[in-house]
Amino acid sequence: MAYSKKLLDHYENPRNIGSLDKNDDGVGTGLVGAPACGDVMKLQIKVGEDGIIEDAKFKTFGCGSAIASSSLVTEWVKGKSIDDAAGIKNSEIAQHLALPPVKIHCSVLAEDAIKAAVSDYKVKQGVGEKKIKAAE
Amino acid sequence: MHEQIKQVPRSRPANDSGIVVCWSCKGPVESGVLFCPVCEAVQPPGQLDHFFRLGLEVSFDVDQKMLDRRYFDLQRHLHPDRFATKTPRERALSQSQATSLNQAYEVLKDDLGRADYLIHLQGAEVPEGCNLINDQKLLMESLELREALAKAKTAVEVDALAGRAAGDIETCVEQLSSLFAADDLEGACRLATRLKYFRKLAEETRQARARLVDG
């Protein structure tokens, strides 16, 4: 199967591999998996007070397309607002990397991971506000 | 010649009348038999469930020896040599019978294949491509184990993880057996997913081991 140059580049030189402190209130963590292939993908975002994503990291154990999809998403979300990041569509990822049809589910996984990270961040912020109110 | 086949006890779905028409002599034939008892023509494979095709009870607990015996017994009657002098239609039908039998055997002999198939038979869907899961505990556990494997530098470390995977796979299979026996479909789905992840870990440990040997 012929893979696109962009896909191979992200696979061979993945951007932003690593972890952020998941206990930090400004960090949202998304952990998703595709059992059919036994893939697991962790995507984390560090959000500034202005709601803009300052940093993003990922760790993916799976096929090359899953690694490339998550690598690409971490690159895309930096500098975006959390709502814009959550609006990333798997079709955009698949199109950018020219994923073959059998690998489309890898882009779905990456979309799900960023959505989960944003929602984790929002939950944390919500909980944080409640804590402050309770303290008052 | 086909006495053995006819004697195989089969569990039949309640809504199945069990009688079809023989394509060759137009007489009535029990569905699922390989050969018409009257004209001896090989029958089409039809839409039988895998357990029925191999003459087994629908259950997660399959006696592997029995399964092998049924499979090889049935397959022997479908050997191409037996059809060398038959009509093209009979040759084609024996081929499709053999294919259906192979498919059924491949699914049933594998613990995970059998679990997924049973879940499917009970009406729940097990998508092949993408089924995202939200079992955070399982995902976290899998992530940590795969990270540990990525960091493992020695055969001892890799073997420890391989042992962990093997132990978990065994536990999964035991628990699947009780869950299916108790008709706990949701629990079985969860365990089947866990089994998939630990199978993947086992596969990755084998690859890591091979790399260590090569290096």
Side-chain angles (χ1 to χ4, degrees), chain A residues 1-67:
Chain A
M1 197 171 350
Y3 286 113
S4 72
K5 273 186 186 158
K6 281 176 186 162
L7 191 152
L8 289 172
D9 182 36
H10 273 281
Y11 174 60
E12 284 161 6
N13 312 297
R15 331 294 200 254
N16 311 310
I17 282 194
S19 292
L20 299 168
D21 178 11
K22 69 171 185 213
N23 297 318
D24 181 339
D25 274 352
V27 170
T29 302
L31 185 59
V32 295
C37 34
D39 284 358
V40 53
M41 183 183 284
K42 183 177 79 170
L43 204 149
Q44 294 181 299
I45 49 169
K46 166 89 181 144
V47 186
E49 279 174 10
D50 52 0
I52 301 295
I53 297 172
E54 293 170 351
D55 199 7
K57 297 276 182 201
F58 84 96
K59 239 175 206 184
T60 294
F61 293 95
C63 65
S65 300
I67 292 168

Short mmCIF file of all heavy atoms in Angstrom, two decimals, chain A residues 1-67:
data_model
loop_
_atom_site.label_atom_id
_atom_site.label_comp_id
_atom_site.label_asym_id
_atom_site.label_seq_id
_atom_site.Cartn_x
_atom_site.Cartn_y
_atom_site.Cartn_z
N MET A 1 0.84 -1.19 0.00
CA MET A 1 0.00 0.00 0.00
C MET A 1 0.89 1.25 0.00
O MET A 1 1.83 1.34 0.75
CB MET A 1 -0.89 0.00 1.24
CG MET A 1 -2.04 0.93 1.11
SD MET A 1 -3.28 0.80 2.42
CE MET A 1 -2.86 -0.66 3.33
N ALA A 2 0.55 2.19 -0.87
CA ALA A 2 1.36 3.41 -0.94
C ALA A 2 0.81 4.46 0.02
O ALA A 2 -0.36 4.81 -0.05
CB ALA A 2 1.33 3.95 -2.37
N TYR A 3 1.64 4.93 0.91
CA TYR A 3 1.21 5.97 1.85
C TYR A 3 1.73 7.32 1.37
O TYR A 3 2.77 7.41 0.72
CB TYR A 3 1.74 5.67 3.25
CG TYR A 3 1.00 4.56 3.93
CD1 TYR A 3 1.62 3.35 4.21
CD2 TYR A 3 -0.33 4.72 4.30
CE1 TYR A 3 0.93 2.31 4.84
CE2 TYR A 3 -1.03 3.71 4.93
CZ TYR A 3 -0.40 2.51 5.20
OH TYR A 3 -1.07 1.50 5.82
N SER A 4 1.01 8.37 1.73
CA SER A 4 1.39 9.71 1.29
C SER A 4 2.66 10.17 2.01
O SER A 4 3.00 9.67 3.08
CB SER A 4 0.25 10.69 1.58
OG SER A 4 0.16 10.93 2.97
N LYS A 5 3.32 11.16 1.40
CA LYS A 5 4.55 11.71 2.00
C LYS A 5 4.27 12.32 3.36
O LYS A 5 5.04 12.17 4.30
CB LYS A 5 5.15 12.78 1.07
CG LYS A 5 6.06 12.19 0.02
CD LYS A 5 6.76 13.29 -0.77
CE LYS A 5 7.54 12.68 -1.92
NZ LYS A 5 7.79 13.64 -3.00
N LYS A 6 3.14 13.05 3.45
CA LYS A 6 2.78 13.70 4.72
C LYS A 6 2.59 12.66 5.83
O LYS A 6 3.01 12.87 6.97
CB LYS A 6 1.49 14.51 4.55
CG LYS A 6 1.71 15.84 3.88
CD LYS A 6 0.38 16.54 3.65
CE LYS A 6 0.57 17.81 2.85
NZ LYS A 6 -0.69 18.27 2.25
N LEU A 7 1.95 11.55 5.48
CA LEU A 7 1.72 10.50 6.48
C LEU A 7 3.05 9.91 6.94
O LEU A 7 3.32 9.80 8.14
CB LEU A 7 0.83 9.41 5.88
CG LEU A 7 0.28 8.37 6.87
CD1 LEU A 7 -1.04 7.81 6.36
CD2 LEU A 7 1.24 7.23 7.12
N LEU A 8 3.90 9.58 5.98
CA LEU A 8 5.20 8.99 6.33
C LEU A 8 6.03 9.95 7.17
O LEU A 8 6.72 9.54 8.10
CB LEU A 8 5.95 8.59 5.05
CG LEU A 8 5.36 7.38 4.33
CD1 LEU A 8 6.05 7.18 2.98
CD2 LEU A 8 5.48 6.12 5.17
N ASP A 9 5.94 11.25 6.84
CA ASP A 9 6.70 12.25 7.59
C ASP A 9 6.24 12.27 9.05
O ASP A 9 7.07 12.26 9.96
CB ASP A 9 6.51 13.62 6.93
CG ASP A 9 7.32 14.70 7.66
OD1 ASP A 9 8.43 14.37 8.13
OD2 ASP A 9 6.83 15.83 7.77
N HIS A 10 4.92 12.27 9.27
CA HIS A 10 4.42 12.28 10.65
C HIS A 10 4.74 10.98 11.37
O HIS A 10 4.92 10.96 12.58
CB HIS A 10 2.91 12.53 10.68
CG HIS A 10 2.56 13.98 10.68
ND1 HIS A 10 2.63 14.74 11.82
CD2 HIS A 10 2.15 14.81 9.69
CE1 HIS A 10 2.27 15.98 11.52
NE2 HIS A 10 1.99 16.05 10.24
N TYR A 11 4.77 9.89 10.61
CA TYR A 11 5.06 8.60 11.22
C TYR A 11 6.54 8.50 11.61
O TYR A 11 6.89 8.06 12.70
CB TYR A 11 4.67 7.47 10.26
CG TYR A 11 5.05 6.10 10.74
CD1 TYR A 11 4.54 5.61 11.95
CD2 TYR A 11 5.93 5.30 10.02
CE1 TYR A 11 4.90 4.36 12.42
CE2 TYR A 11 6.29 4.05 10.48
CZ TYR A 11 5.77 3.58 11.68
OH TYR A 11 6.13 2.34 12.14
N GLU A 12 7.40 8.96 10.70
CA GLU A 12 8.84 8.85 10.95
C GLU A 12 9.37 9.93 11.88
O GLU A 12 10.31 9.70 12.64
CB GLU A 12 9.61 8.85 9.61
CG GLU A 12 9.49 7.51 8.91
CD GLU A 12 9.82 7.58 7.43
OE1 GLU A 12 10.26 8.65 6.96
OE2 GLU A 12 9.63 6.56 6.74
N ASN A 13 8.77 11.12 11.80
CA ASN A 13 9.17 12.22 12.69
C ASN A 13 7.95 12.73 13.44
O ASN A 13 7.51 13.86 13.21
CB ASN A 13 9.77 13.37 11.88
CG ASN A 13 10.81 12.88 10.89
OD1 ASN A 13 11.83 12.34 11.26
ND2 ASN A 13 10.50 13.03 9.61
N PRO A 14 7.40 11.93 14.32
CA PRO A 14 6.18 12.38 15.01
C PRO A 14 6.44 13.63 15.84
O PRO A 14 7.49 13.76 16.47
CB PRO A 14 5.79 11.19 15.89
CG PRO A 14 6.98 10.29 15.92
CD PRO A 14 7.83 10.60 14.76
N ARG A 15 5.48 14.59 15.77
CA ARG A 15 5.61 15.83 16.54
C ARG A 15 4.95 15.63 17.91
O ARG A 15 3.94 14.94 18.03
CB ARG A 15 4.88 17.00 15.86
CG ARG A 15 4.76 16.96 14.33
CD ARG A 15 6.08 17.08 13.60
NE ARG A 15 5.84 17.49 12.22
CZ ARG A 15 5.95 16.68 11.17
NH1 ARG A 15 6.30 15.42 11.31
NH2 ARG A 15 5.71 17.14 9.95
N ASN A 16 5.54 16.29 18.89
CA ASN A 16 4.88 16.41 20.18
C ASN A 16 4.60 15.09 20.91
O ASN A 16 3.56 14.92 21.52
CB ASN A 16 3.57 17.19 20.05
CG ASN A 16 3.75 18.48 19.28
OD1 ASN A 16 4.65 19.25 19.58
ND2 ASN A 16 2.92 18.70 18.28
N ILE A 17 5.50 14.15 20.80
CA ILE A 17 5.33 12.93 21.59
C ILE A 17 5.65 13.25 23.03
O ILE A 17 6.60 13.99 23.30
CB ILE A 17 6.28 11.81 21.08
CG1 ILE A 17 5.70 11.19 19.82
CG2 ILE A 17 6.49 10.73 22.15
CD1 ILE A 17 6.33 9.88 19.43
N GLY A 18 4.87 12.71 23.94
CA GLY A 18 5.17 12.91 25.35
C GLY A 18 3.93 13.06 26.18
O GLY A 18 2.82 12.74 25.73
N SER A 19 4.12 13.54 27.39
CA SER A 19 3.00 13.66 28.33
C SER A 19 3.01 15.01 29.01
O SER A 19 4.07 15.61 29.19
CB SER A 19 3.10 12.58 29.41
OG SER A 19 2.89 11.32 28.86
N LEU A 20 1.83 15.47 29.38
CA LEU A 20 1.68 16.66 30.21
C LEU A 20 1.15 16.17 31.56
O LEU A 20 0.61 15.06 31.65
CB LEU A 20 0.70 17.65 29.57
CG LEU A 20 1.11 18.19 28.20
CD1 LEU A 20 -0.07 18.91 27.54
CD2 LEU A 20 2.30 19.15 28.33
N ASP A 21 1.25 17.00 32.57
CA ASP A 21 0.79 16.60 33.90
C ASP A 21 -0.73 16.53 33.92
O ASP A 21 -1.42 17.54 33.85
CB ASP A 21 1.29 17.60 34.94
CG ASP A 21 0.79 17.27 36.33
OD1 ASP A 21 0.23 16.16 36.51
OD2 ASP A 21 0.95 18.11 37.23
N LYS A 22 -1.26 15.32 34.00
CA LYS A 22 -2.71 15.17 33.90
C LYS A 22 -3.43 15.72 35.13
O LYS A 22 -4.64 15.91 35.11
CB LYS A 22 -3.10 13.72 33.62
CG LYS A 22 -2.85 12.77 34.77
CD LYS A 22 -3.47 11.41 34.48
CE LYS A 22 -3.29 10.53 35.71
NZ LYS A 22 -3.10 9.17 35.52
N ASN A 23 -2.71 15.97 36.22
CA ASN A 23 -3.35 16.52 37.42
C ASN A 23 -3.41 18.04 37.42
O ASN A 23 -4.04 18.64 38.27
CB ASN A 23 -2.62 16.03 38.68
CG ASN A 23 -2.72 14.53 38.81
OD1 ASN A 23 -3.78 13.94 38.57
ND2 ASN A 23 -1.61 13.88 39.15
N ASP A 24 -2.73 18.65 36.42
CA ASP A 24 -2.77 20.11 36.26
C ASP A 24 -4.18 20.51 35.78
O ASP A 24 -4.70 19.93 34.83
CB ASP A 24 -1.70 20.48 35.21
CG ASP A 24 -1.62 21.98 34.97
OD1 ASP A 24 -2.60 22.70 35.27
OD2 ASP A 24 -0.58 22.43 34.46
N ASP A 25 -4.79 21.49 36.45
CA ASP A 25 -6.14 21.92 36.08
C ASP A 25 -6.20 22.51 34.68
O ASP A 25 -7.26 22.52 34.05
CB ASP A 25 -6.66 22.96 37.08
CG ASP A 25 -7.31 22.29 38.28
OD1 ASP A 25 -7.48 21.05 38.23
OD2 ASP A 25 -7.63 22.99 39.26
N GLY A 26 -5.07 23.00 34.18
CA GLY A 26 -5.05 23.58 32.85
C GLY A 26 -4.78 22.56 31.75
O GLY A 26 -4.68 22.90 30.58
N VAL A 27 -4.69 21.27 32.14
CA VAL A 27 -4.40 20.22 31.16
C VAL A 27 -5.64 19.34 30.96
O VAL A 27 -6.25 18.89 31.94
CB VAL A 27 -3.20 19.36 31.61
CG1 VAL A 27 -3.05 18.12 30.73
CG2 VAL A 27 -1.90 20.17 31.56
N GLY A 28 -6.00 19.14 29.70
CA GLY A 28 -7.10 18.21 29.39
C GLY A 28 -6.51 16.95 28.79
O GLY A 28 -5.64 17.02 27.93
N THR A 29 -6.99 15.78 29.22
CA THR A 29 -6.46 14.52 28.73
C THR A 29 -7.57 13.71 28.05
O THR A 29 -8.65 13.54 28.63
CB THR A 29 -5.87 13.68 29.88
OG1 THR A 29 -4.84 14.44 30.52
CG2 THR A 29 -5.28 12.37 29.38
N GLY A 30 -7.27 13.25 26.87
CA GLY A 30 -8.22 12.38 26.16
C GLY A 30 -7.57 11.03 25.95
O GLY A 30 -6.46 10.94 25.42
N LEU A 31 -8.25 9.99 26.40
CA LEU A 31 -7.71 8.64 26.26
C LEU A 31 -8.75 7.81 25.53
O LEU A 31 -9.86 7.62 26.04
CB LEU A 31 -7.41 8.08 27.65
CG LEU A 31 -6.74 6.72 27.75
CD1 LEU A 31 -5.39 6.71 27.04
CD2 LEU A 31 -6.55 6.32 29.22
N VAL A 32 -8.42 7.34 24.33
CA VAL A 32 -9.40 6.59 23.54
C VAL A 32 -8.74 5.35 22.95
O VAL A 32 -7.52 5.24 22.91
CB VAL A 32 -10.01 7.45 22.40
CG1 VAL A 32 -10.82 8.60 22.95
CG2 VAL A 32 -8.92 7.95 21.46
N GLY A 33 -9.58 4.43 22.51
CA GLY A 33 -9.03 3.20 21.94
C GLY A 33 -9.93 2.60 20.89
O GLY A 33 -11.13 2.86 20.86
N ALA A 34 -9.33 1.82 20.01
CA ALA A 34 -10.08 1.08 18.99
C ALA A 34 -9.79 -0.40 19.21
O ALA A 34 -8.74 -0.88 18.80
CB ALA A 34 -9.65 1.50 17.60
N PRO A 35 -10.68 -1.10 19.88
CA PRO A 35 -10.40 -2.48 20.24
C PRO A 35 -10.17 -3.41 19.04
O PRO A 35 -9.41 -4.37 19.16
CB PRO A 35 -11.62 -2.92 21.04
CG PRO A 35 -12.63 -1.86 20.88
CD PRO A 35 -11.95 -0.63 20.41
N ALA A 36 -10.79 -3.09 17.90
CA ALA A 36 -10.63 -3.97 16.74
C ALA A 36 -9.16 -4.15 16.40
O ALA A 36 -8.72 -5.21 15.99
CB ALA A 36 -11.40 -3.42 15.55
N CYS A 37 -8.36 -3.09 16.60
CA CYS A 37 -6.93 -3.23 16.31
C CYS A 37 -6.08 -3.12 17.57
O CYS A 37 -4.86 -3.15 17.50
CB CYS A 37 -6.50 -2.22 15.25
SG CYS A 37 -7.35 -0.65 15.30
N GLY A 38 -6.72 -2.99 18.73
CA GLY A 38 -5.96 -2.92 19.98
C GLY A 38 -5.16 -1.64 20.14
O GLY A 38 -4.18 -1.60 20.87
N ASP A 39 -5.59 -0.58 19.44
CA ASP A 39 -4.89 0.69 19.52
C ASP A 39 -5.29 1.47 20.76
O ASP A 39 -6.44 1.39 21.19
CB ASP A 39 -5.23 1.58 18.31
CG ASP A 39 -4.51 1.11 17.06
OD1 ASP A 39 -3.74 0.15 17.15
OD2 ASP A 39 -4.73 1.72 16.00
N VAL A 40 -4.36 2.21 21.31
CA VAL A 40 -4.70 3.11 22.40
C VAL A 40 -3.99 4.44 22.13
O VAL A 40 -2.83 4.47 21.71
CB VAL A 40 -4.40 2.50 23.79
CG1 VAL A 40 -2.99 1.98 23.89
CG2 VAL A 40 -4.67 3.47 24.91
N MET A 41 -4.74 5.54 22.31
CA MET A 41 -4.23 6.87 21.96
C MET A 41 -4.50 7.83 23.11
O MET A 41 -5.62 7.93 23.58
CB MET A 41 -4.98 7.35 20.70
CG MET A 41 -4.53 8.69 20.16
SD MET A 41 -5.55 9.18 18.72
CE MET A 41 -4.89 8.13 17.42
N LYS A 42 -3.43 8.50 23.56
CA LYS A 42 -3.60 9.52 24.60
C LYS A 42 -3.21 10.86 24.02
O LYS A 42 -2.13 10.99 23.45
CB LYS A 42 -2.71 9.20 25.81
CG LYS A 42 -2.91 10.20 26.97
CD LYS A 42 -2.07 9.84 28.18
CE LYS A 42 -0.63 10.29 27.97
NZ LYS A 42 0.19 10.18 29.19
N LEU A 43 -4.11 11.83 24.13
CA LEU A 43 -3.84 13.16 23.60
C LEU A 43 -4.11 14.18 24.70
O LEU A 43 -5.14 14.14 25.36
CB LEU A 43 -4.76 13.41 22.40
CG LEU A 43 -4.29 14.44 21.38
CD1 LEU A 43 -4.77 14.06 20.00
CD2 LEU A 43 -4.74 15.82 21.72
N GLN A 44 -3.13 15.06 24.95
CA GLN A 44 -3.28 16.04 26.02
C GLN A 44 -3.09 17.45 25.51
O GLN A 44 -2.29 17.68 24.59
CB GLN A 44 -2.24 15.77 27.12
CG GLN A 44 -2.46 14.44 27.82
CD GLN A 44 -1.44 14.22 28.91
OE1 GLN A 44 -0.24 14.16 28.62
NE2 GLN A 44 -1.89 14.09 30.15
N ILE A 45 -3.86 18.38 26.09
CA ILE A 45 -3.71 19.79 25.72
C ILE A 45 -3.47 20.62 26.98
O ILE A 45 -3.98 20.31 28.05
CB ILE A 45 -4.97 20.33 24.99
CG1 ILE A 45 -6.25 19.96 25.76
CG2 ILE A 45 -5.03 19.84 23.57
CD1 ILE A 45 -7.50 20.66 25.26
N LYS A 46 -2.65 21.66 26.82
CA LYS A 46 -2.41 22.62 27.91
C LYS A 46 -3.06 23.92 27.47
O LYS A 46 -2.71 24.47 26.42
CB LYS A 46 -0.89 22.78 28.10
CG LYS A 46 -0.49 23.96 28.95
CD LYS A 46 -0.42 23.59 30.42
CE LYS A 46 -0.02 24.81 31.26
NZ LYS A 46 -0.71 24.82 32.57
N VAL A 47 -4.05 24.34 28.24
CA VAL A 47 -4.85 25.49 27.84
C VAL A 47 -4.50 26.71 28.68
O VAL A 47 -4.41 26.61 29.91
CB VAL A 47 -6.36 25.19 27.96
CG1 VAL A 47 -7.21 26.33 27.40
CG2 VAL A 47 -6.70 23.88 27.26
N GLY A 48 -4.29 27.83 28.02
CA GLY A 48 -3.99 29.07 28.73
C GLY A 48 -5.26 29.70 29.31
O GLY A 48 -6.38 29.26 29.01
N GLU A 49 -5.11 30.76 30.09
CA GLU A 49 -6.27 31.40 30.72
C GLU A 49 -7.21 32.02 29.69
O GLU A 49 -8.40 32.20 29.95
CB GLU A 49 -5.81 32.44 31.75
CG GLU A 49 -5.44 31.79 33.06
CD GLU A 49 -4.84 32.76 34.07
OE1 GLU A 49 -4.89 33.97 33.81
OE2 GLU A 49 -4.33 32.28 35.10
N ASP A 50 -6.66 32.35 28.52
CA ASP A 50 -7.48 32.93 27.45
C ASP A 50 -8.23 31.86 26.64
O ASP A 50 -8.90 32.18 25.66
CB ASP A 50 -6.58 33.76 26.52
CG ASP A 50 -5.37 32.97 26.04
OD1 ASP A 50 -5.23 31.79 26.43
OD2 ASP A 50 -4.56 33.53 25.27
N GLY A 51 -8.11 30.61 27.06
CA GLY A 51 -8.83 29.54 26.36
C GLY A 51 -8.14 29.07 25.09
O GLY A 51 -8.72 28.35 24.28
N ILE A 52 -6.89 29.50 24.91
CA ILE A 52 -6.12 29.09 23.72
C ILE A 52 -5.18 27.94 24.10
O ILE A 52 -4.56 27.96 25.17
CB ILE A 52 -5.29 30.28 23.17
CG1 ILE A 52 -6.20 31.46 22.78
CG2 ILE A 52 -4.42 29.86 21.99
CD1 ILE A 52 -7.16 31.19 21.62
N ILE A 53 -5.09 26.96 23.23
CA ILE A 53 -4.23 25.81 23.50
C ILE A 53 -2.76 26.19 23.29
O ILE A 53 -2.37 26.59 22.19
CB ILE A 53 -4.63 24.62 22.61
CG1 ILE A 53 -6.06 24.18 22.96
CG2 ILE A 53 -3.65 23.44 22.79
CD1 ILE A 53 -6.66 23.15 22.04
N GLU A 54 -1.99 26.10 24.37
CA GLU A 54 -0.57 26.50 24.32
C GLU A 54 0.33 25.35 23.90
O GLU A 54 1.35 25.53 23.27
CB GLU A 54 -0.13 26.98 25.71
CG GLU A 54 -0.80 28.26 26.16
CD GLU A 54 -0.52 28.57 27.62
OE1 GLU A 54 0.05 27.71 28.34
OE2 GLU A 54 -0.88 29.69 28.06
N ASP A 55 -0.04 24.16 24.35
CA ASP A 55 0.81 23.01 24.07
C ASP A 55 -0.06 21.77 23.90
O ASP A 55 -1.18 21.71 24.44
CB ASP A 55 1.82 22.81 25.23
CG ASP A 55 3.00 21.94 24.82
OD1 ASP A 55 3.11 21.61 23.61
OD2 ASP A 55 3.82 21.59 25.69
N ALA A 56 0.46 20.80 23.18
CA ALA A 56 -0.27 19.53 23.00
C ALA A 56 0.74 18.41 22.89
O ALA A 56 1.81 18.58 22.30
CB ALA A 56 -1.13 19.59 21.75
N LYS A 57 0.41 17.28 23.53
CA LYS A 57 1.30 16.10 23.48
C LYS A 57 0.45 14.87 23.21
O LYS A 57 -0.74 14.82 23.54
CB LYS A 57 2.01 15.92 24.83
CG LYS A 57 2.94 17.05 25.22
CD LYS A 57 4.31 16.88 24.59
CE LYS A 57 5.25 18.00 25.04
NZ LYS A 57 6.36 18.16 24.11
N PHE A 58 1.10 13.86 22.65
CA PHE A 58 0.35 12.61 22.44
C PHE A 58 1.26 11.41 22.66
O PHE A 58 2.50 11.50 22.60
CB PHE A 58 -0.25 12.57 21.04
CG PHE A 58 0.72 12.09 19.98
CD1 PHE A 58 0.74 10.75 19.58
CD2 PHE A 58 1.60 12.96 19.39
CE1 PHE A 58 1.63 10.31 18.61
CE2 PHE A 58 2.51 12.53 18.42
CZ PHE A 58 2.53 11.20 18.03
N LYS A 59 0.59 10.30 22.93
CA LYS A 59 1.26 9.01 22.99
C LYS A 59 0.30 8.02 22.36
O LYS A 59 -0.84 7.88 22.81
CB LYS A 59 1.53 8.63 24.44
CG LYS A 59 3.00 8.41 24.71
CD LYS A 59 3.28 8.15 26.13
CE LYS A 59 4.72 8.59 26.42
NZ LYS A 59 5.10 8.28 27.78
N THR A 60 0.73 7.37 21.30
CA THR A 60 -0.16 6.44 20.62
C THR A 60 0.54 5.10 20.44
O THR A 60 1.69 5.04 19.96
CB THR A 60 -0.56 7.00 19.24
OG1 THR A 60 -1.36 8.17 19.44
CG2 THR A 60 -1.37 5.99 18.44
N PHE A 61 -0.14 4.05 20.86
CA PHE A 61 0.36 2.71 20.57
C PHE A 61 -0.60 2.12 19.56
O PHE A 61 -1.73 1.78 19.87
CB PHE A 61 0.43 1.88 21.85
CG PHE A 61 1.46 2.40 22.80
CD1 PHE A 61 1.12 3.25 23.82
CD2 PHE A 61 2.80 2.07 22.62
CE1 PHE A 61 2.09 3.77 24.68
CE2 PHE A 61 3.77 2.58 23.48
CZ PHE A 61 3.41 3.43 24.51
N GLY A 62 -0.13 2.03 18.34
CA GLY A 62 -1.01 1.55 17.27
C GLY A 62 -0.27 1.59 15.96
O GLY A 62 0.96 1.69 15.93
N CYS A 63 -1.03 1.57 14.87
CA CYS A 63 -0.41 1.51 13.55
C CYS A 63 0.12 2.89 13.15
O CYS A 63 -0.14 3.89 13.82
CB CYS A 63 -1.43 1.04 12.53
SG CYS A 63 -2.78 2.20 12.34
N GLY A 64 0.85 2.95 12.06
CA GLY A 64 1.44 4.18 11.57
C GLY A 64 0.41 5.26 11.31
O GLY A 64 0.65 6.44 11.59
N SER A 65 -0.76 4.88 10.79
CA SER A 65 -1.79 5.87 10.49
C SER A 65 -2.35 6.49 11.77
O SER A 65 -2.68 7.68 11.80
CB SER A 65 -2.93 5.24 9.70
OG SER A 65 -2.43 4.71 8.50
N ALA A 66 -2.44 5.70 12.83
CA ALA A 66 -2.93 6.21 14.12
C ALA A 66 -1.91 7.18 14.71
O ALA A 66 -2.27 8.24 15.23
CB ALA A 66 -3.21 5.07 15.08
N ILE A 67 -0.63 6.83 14.59
CA ILE A 67 0.43 7.71 15.09
C ILE A 67 0.43 9.02 14.31
O ILE A 67 0.45 10.11 14.89
CB ILE A 67 1.81 7.00 15.00
CG1 ILE A 67 1.84 5.83 16.00
CG2 ILE A 67 2.97 7.97 15.25
CD1 ILE A 67 3.01 4.88 15.83
#
